[in-house]
Amino acid sequence: MWLDSMKIALIQKDSAKAYALIESMPPTFDTLEEMLQARELIAQVLELLEKEKEHTRIQMLQIQAAKKFLVSS
């Protein structure tokens, strides 16, 4: 169930839901395979968060450039 929910959050690129799922991750998994899947999914969430962080950084730079342009006009 947790693995399926995490897969859905990743497909939807819902970082908030994925983060909440990580916080509520079960303390143990039934099999080694499930544990390895969880590790891979968490790695994918980290990649998603890094991409969002970079996107936000670029947006902030664009806003700063626009602000400078408006102030100098």
Side-chain angles (χ1 to χ4, degrees):
M1 178 71 176
W2 184 90
L3 291 171
D4 292 337
S5 297
M6 182 62 83
K7 289 174 187 176
I8 291 168
L10 279 167
I11 289 169
Q12 295 175 340
K13 296 185 180 183
D14 187 346
S15 59
K17 184 176 181 180
Y19 182 77
L21 285 165
I22 289 173
E23 287 188 324
S24 66
M25 185 174 70
T28 60
F29 291 92
D30 294 335
T31 65
L32 177 60
E33 169 119 6
E34 287 181 353
M35 189 180 302
L36 293 172
Q37 284 181 4
R39 183 179 74 176
E40 177 57 32
L41 291 171
I42 290 169
Q44 290 178 26
V45 169
L46 291 173
E47 286 179 28
L48 175 63
L49 290 171
E50 285 295 325
K51 287 178 185 176
E52 288 183 357
K53 178 181 169 183
E54 180 63 16
H55 179 72
T56 302
R57 186 186 72 76
I58 291 169
Q59 285 182 322
M60 288 179 63
L61 290 173
Q62 290 173 342
I63 290 168
Q64 288 173 347
K67 184 178 175 183
K68 279 183 183 179
F69 175 76
L70 291 173
V71 170
S72 66
S73 296

